[in-house]
Structure formats: structure tokens, C-alpha cells
Amino acid sequence: MSERKIKLQLKDMAKKYPNGDGVEHINLDIYEGEIVSFLGPSGCGKTTILRAIGGFHDVTGGDITIDGQSIIALPPEKRPTAMVFQSYNLWPHMTIYENLAFGLKLRKIPQKQIDADIKDALKLVSMSGSEKKYPSQLSGGQQQRIAIARSLLLKPSLLLLDEPFSALDAKIRQQMREELKKIQSDLGITVVFVTHDQEEAMTLSHRIVVMNKGKFAQVGTPTEIYDHPNSKYVASFIGEMNFIDQGDKTIAFRPEDVNVNIGGDGMITGKVRTIMILGHYVSVNVQCGDDVIKCFVNRDISDKLEVGDPVGLTFTKYHTFDKNE
Ligand SMILES: Nc1ncnc2c1ncn2[C@@H]1O[C@H](COP(=O)(O)OP(=O)(O)OP(=O)(O)O)[C@@H](O)[C@H]1O
Ligand SMILES: [Mg+2]
């Protein structure tokens, strides 16, 4: 691991807006060939960080390096980055072809090569044949795919994607995730990806940065964050989690880590409140005093249960947090 090359470094970076919003004390090393996702609720500062890396914001403190060189004095076009904006930013007066060709012409790429590259890029995002259309003639999801194609055509060594799949429906979204992973490993590029969709972050990333109000709450691999959330906030943000208060502590455990014992023996007892069959597993809610505990069980257990039945719950894996954290 020690010989992994650091591609991007955020060093005590700050970007504060005049009204005091923004981010500060941002420290992170991103390795070459890594996909790192910034995940967090609306307004936590994800776009702010991405724009600072891409050069669309001046930082107000600290430094950003790529391949060891500070880039904060460089304008966006001089950085080895390409960014897909949350609002895709296609030029409305240009056709799709012209939108895609623009950056390549600036780089003096031969016309034949431009045509061939554009054809490939459109195929990649399932938009073949749309060259002559204008952005206004495309749906939001289609425009988003063109914006992705445009960024890939620039063959950046660092790709910055701000919720690039948010306007796509579930199936294309899934396809695009797989394509992005393939492109990333084929080209060996480094990707910084912003999303507020935890499932997207979990499936796509090598590491996830969970953000809360302008700060990093936790940085880790998807499994580290899922199995070892370092705070109540991260525990509640990633996956499903039950919380029960005991004295000055909060106990947190996932629905898949609860055993439901028919009859009533267990660490806590309660009564079955709802039973929902969700395909190969079943979600059983159990009323335990004032708490409702969600449990995922197999059909062989749920088939023996009815609403109102007394059950006991035991859990093998749990986390303890300070109640007032
Ligand atoms: N140009 C700006 N001027 C002043 N404040 C801003 C500006 N852009 C963003 N902010 C504020 O900075 C904070 C972080 O915004 P940012 O756009 O980075 O959030 P985000 O995590 O990308 O949210 P979302 O998921 O909604 O896109 C917010 O409180 C926002 O209101
Ligand atoms: Mg944003």
C-alpha cells in the first residue's frame, strides 16, 4: 500500500463564502486510480469542495495539490481536471456535436479524430445519433449523459462529478455506475464523485467521505463505514439502523443483525407490529415499549409470525454511542 501514489491532496483547505457558510479544515489524500465519493445531506458543502478542486472557486485557506504541485493559482482549463456540474451546463446555442467538440478543438485535435471520439463517447452514454440536436430538445437525464460524455472526451487525469446521475432513472443509473467503474479502471483515472445517495456511494466508491455541516464526519471504505460508523450521525446516515436509549448511552444495531425469537426470549421483548415481505427477506417491525425495532428475517421465520405475537430480540452486532453526542 505504501507505494500508492497520491493524486490529489487537500491540505487544511477552506472555502468560506462571505456570509460564513462553506467548508474549512478539509484534509484528504486521494490516491491515483481511486474513486472517492463525498456523501452528505443537501447544503453540507459537497459542491463547494468539488468546485474548489476544479478551480471554479478560489479557496480562502490552505492548499490543493495534484501530483504534488499546488494548483490553486491555476484557472480551471489549466488544471488536469474535468468537471460535470450538478446542472450539466451544456451550451444552449450549440448542437450536441458542437458541445462535445468544443474542448477538443481548443486542444487542436484533428477533425477526423474528433468525429471518431465523439461517436465513441455518445455510444458509451447510449446517446448515439444525437449529434445534431440542441440541449433543449433533450430530457434532463439525456443532457446529463451528454455532459458526462463531454468530460470524458477531455481524458482528464482527475474527473470531478457532481451528482452526475441524479436525473437518470434507476436502470440507466445502474448502467452508468457500471460504465463509470469500467472507464475508471480502463483509463486509470482518479474520480471524485459527489452524491447524496448512500447506495450509489456504497456501490461505486473505493472510499467514502461522509460529510456533516461543512466538516468530514468519517472517511473510510464502504465496509468500514457500514460496519464501524464512528458516530450516531454516520450510523443513521448509512444503511438502516435501530437506535434505543439506555441510560446515557444509545445502542445502535442494524435490522439484519437482529434475531427474532418466537415466543418471547431475548435481550428485549415486544410484540410484532407489522410484517412486510420484501422479496427474499422480510421486514418485521416489533414494538418494544416506546421503541419500534426493525428486523430483517427469512421467510421461514416470518411464516410462523403474526401481528401481535410476542417475540424476543437478540442482536449479535451493535454499536454504543453517547446519548447526547
Ligand atoms: N455562491 C455561494 N454563496 C454563498 N453561499 C453559498 C454559495 N454556494 C453555496 N453556498 C452555501 O454553502 C453551503 C454548502 O453549499 P454546497 O452547494 O457546497 O452544498 P452541497 O452539499 O453541494 O448541497 P446539495 O446536495 O444541495 O447540492 C450551503 O449552506 C450553501 O447555502
Ligand atoms: Mg451540490
Side-chain angles (χ1 to χ4, degrees):
M1 294 293 266
S2 57
E3 71 271 28
R4 289 175 81 192
K5 188 170 163 238
I6 294 173
K7 183 76 194 171
L8 172 75
Q9 246 184 335
L10 304 174
K11 296 181 176 172
D12 203 33
M13 189 204 86
K15 168 62 196 173
K16 283 283 190 185
Y17 299 106
N19 65 0
D21 281 343
V23 301
E24 60 186 341
H25 302 306
I26 298 298
N27 286 288
L28 185 67
D29 292 349
I30 294 181
Y31 296 94
E32 197 163 67
E34 229 188 348
I35 304 182
V36 173
S37 292
F38 285 84
L39 174 69
S42 187
C44 71
K46 307 180 295 295
T47 296
T48 301
I49 295 179
L50 212 62
R51 282 180 161 264
I53 300 169
F56 302 95
H57 274 331
D58 287 333
V59 298
T60 52
D63 199 3
I64 303 172
T65 69
I66 293 180
D67 298 327
Q69 301 290 317
S70 174
I71 55 157
I72 54 174
L74 299 176
E77 66 275 11
K78 293 268 167 62
R79 300 187 185 195
T81 54
M83 178 151 169
V84 173
F85 293 89
Q86 208 164 353
S87 52
Y88 9 109
N89 285 29
L90 300 176
W91 288 292
H93 59 288
M94 289 187 191
T95 63
I96 299 311
Y97 177 89
E98 288 161 349
N99 264 284
L100 295 177
F102 190 81
L104 303 177
K105 283 186 176 152
L106 282 183
R107 294 186 181 185
K108 308 264 188 297
I109 311 255
Q111 186 63 43
K112 262 205 172 133
Q113 171 102 45
I114 292 183
D115 289 350
D117 285 356
I118 288 182
K119 209 165 169 218
D120 287 348
L122 285 175
K123 188 160 171 229
L124 193 67
V125 296
S126 309
M127 288 297 295
S128 293
S130 62
E131 284 92 336
K132 293 204 173 76
K133 292 191 173 160
Y134 284 88
S136 61
Q137 295 172 291
L138 302 181
S139 72
Q142 290 169 331
Q143 291 184 46
Q144 215 166 26
R145 281 183 274 161
I146 299 298
I148 293 166
R150 185 174 60 180
S151 69
L152 290 173
L153 279 165
L154 298 174
K155 301 197 168 66
S157 67
L158 180 62
L159 183 60
L160 307 172
L161 300 170
D162 196 352
E163 312 216 20
F165 306 151
S166 60
L168 308 180
D169 60 35
K171 194 159 168 230
I172 300 183
R173 208 179 163 109
Q174 184 61 40
Q175 275 172 12
M176 291 298 299
R177 271 183 215 163
E178 281 160 23
E179 280 306 330
L180 178 64
K181 272 200 129 155
K182 181 153 190 324
I183 291 164
Q184 183 276 329
S185 67
D186 285 356
L187 303 180
I189 54 177
T190 308
V191 179
V192 184
F193 189 93
V194 164
T195 180
H196 54 239
D197 177 338
Q198 51 118 353
E199 189 189 306
E200 189 157 272
M202 294 281 292
T203 52
L204 195 64
S205 332
H206 299 111
R207 278 189 304 157
I208 300 176
V209 178
V210 184
M211 289 190 66
N212 185 17
K213 296 188 191 133
K215 297 208 169 65
F216 289 178
Q218 189 170 0
V219 182
T221 63
T223 27
E224 277 165 4
I225 288 186
Y226 192 82
D227 291 342
H228 306 288
N230 67 357
S231 62
K232 238 157 105 171
Y233 171 79
V234 173
S236 64
F237 200 73
I238 308 277
E240 299 213 53
M241 191 71 97
N242 294 298
F243 294 95
I244 47 176
D245 289 338
Q246 283 189 345
D248 57 355
K249 301 284 180 202
T250 299
I251 313 291
F253 51 98
R254 298 204 181 275
E256 66 267 30
D257 294 328
V258 188
N259 285 320
V260 177
N261 311 312
I262 296 167
D265 278 343
M267 295 153 85
I268 23 178
T269 56
K271 286 203 157 101
V272 174
R273 190 165 183 266
T274 55
I275 301 172
M276 270 187 294
I277 298 176
L278 302 170
H280 66 285
Y281 69 100
V282 181
S283 177
V284 176
N285 280 357
V286 178
Q287 186 83 46
C288 304
D290 291 340
D291 296 312
V292 175
I293 309 288
K294 180 179 276 193
C295 321
F296 294 154
V297 301
N298 294 324
R299 286 292 293 273
D300 56 344
I301 305 252
S302 69
D303 285 349
K304 298 191 191 106
L305 286 175
E306 277 181 46
V307 170
D309 282 355
V311 289
L313 306 179
T314 47
F315 33 92
T316 39
K317 251 197 321 202
Y318 61 92
H319 311 275
T320 311
F321 301 110
D322 282 339
K323 186 174 161 185
N324 297 319
E325 172 187 291

